[in-house]
Amino acid sequence: MSQLEGRSQFVAYVDESGDEGFVFKPDGTGSSRWFVLSAVVTRRINDLQMVECLKDARNVLGKAPRTPLHFADLKHEQRVPYIRRVGNLDIRTINIAVYKPLIRDVGKFKGERHLLYRYLTRFLVERLCLLVNRSFRTPLDRNRSTEIIFSDRSNMSYEEVRSYLRRLIDITFNSSDDVWIDGSVIDPREVRSVQHSQLAGLQVADAVATGVHFALKLNRYRETENAYFSHIAKTLYRHNGKILGYGMKFWPEDYETMKKIIPQIADLEDLLH
């Protein structure tokens, strides 16, 4: 499986788990309560490690070469060895987790298609810029450019995503205190979408996003599954030693507030410090 070539120093693979709907039925069915947007960030020179990870995982799982891996489609006993290998990669992950029932201005997100996705992309890219500038980059890295590759959603316009990022860069340039997107790290022209099956990095991002989602959502037995999250916890981006707000960002409330409202996320406490 070949990865995309490019001049950028870093690559961020982005995938999601959950949906953007707001139909929450009393029995727990309908739209997903949680929506998770995740980025897997690596140096381009280390990009092939994910190809090797997928090869190794397929071999262990008895899958044919080049078979795309969809984390949600695997059985639990298959997910564990796969996510363990992901957790051992030299990557950093950024995860934005929104609990949709707490969003106050629901009408805004219902009224404009994919607005929620773009809004969470802003949170993701702000943290990506911070990661590259403060943690990943060494004094020898003059080039801070980062290619962002989204897992393609057939019904979404990525030109709208690029336009949105251009607006955010302009806002940042005009000294906004609320938005921080570094144009030397993010070039909207270097933002693209690719089919999940075509890149190992996107399949790794799928495993991360879905693993986080499993740790947050209640299943039909009203239980969560944090076994997968425990394996990827060491990949979470830490800024000044802090994961919360950086490698793991909760929205529309902060973690401490969400923990009071949604008790099951307290099960992640030890993994988030």
Side-chain angles (χ1 to χ4, degrees), residues 213-252:
H213 199 181
F214 273 118
L216 297 171
K217 73 172 184 176
L218 290 174
N219 61 27
R220 59 180 173 173
Y221 306 111
R222 303 201 58 79
E223 300 282 349
T224 58
E225 177 55 82
N226 13 353
Y228 315 128
F229 190 87
S230 67
H231 287 295
I232 58 175
K234 58 188 169 184
T235 72
L236 296 173
Y237 167 42
R238 288 166 170 79
H239 179 65
N240 293 332
K242 296 181 180 178
I243 293 174
L244 285 168
Y246 299 99
M248 193 73 202
K249 159 75 174 172
F250 289 95
W251 189 77

Side-chain angles (χ1 to χ4, degrees), residues 74-119:
L74 299 174
K75 297 177 181 178
H76 173 72
E77 59 265 30
Q78 296 174 312
R79 292 172 187 155
V80 173
Y82 178 24
I83 202 72
R84 182 184 293 113
R85 284 162 173 77
V86 169
N88 287 330
L89 290 170
D90 183 14
I91 58 175
R92 293 295 178 270
T93 61
I94 301 168
N95 304 276
I96 313 299
V98 53
Y99 188 66
K100 293 181 293 175
L102 291 182
I103 296 177
R104 295 180 181 87
D105 194 1
V106 173
K108 177 174 72 174
F109 293 103
K110 284 184 176 179
E112 187 174 342
R113 196 177 188 190
H114 303 309
L115 178 60
L116 179 61
Y117 189 98
R118 293 196 299 275
Y119 196 76

Side-chain angles (χ1 to χ4, degrees), residues 37-91:
L37 188 66
S38 298
V40 168
V41 190
T42 185
R43 291 176 174 275
R44 185 173 291 281
I45 59 172
N46 295 332
D47 203 25
L48 288 177
Q49 67 175 320
M50 287 181 281
V51 175
E52 295 305 316
C53 174
L54 266 289
K55 286 181 180 177
D56 187 26
R58 288 192 205 97
N59 183 54
V60 169
L61 301 180
K63 302 286 186 181
R66 299 183 181 274
T67 301
L69 295 182
H70 292 265
F71 197 74
D73 294 340
L74 299 174
K75 297 177 181 178
H76 173 72
E77 59 265 30
Q78 296 174 312
R79 292 172 187 155
V80 173
Y82 178 24
I83 202 72
R84 182 184 293 113
R85 284 162 173 77
V86 169
N88 287 330
L89 290 170
D90 183 14
I91 58 175

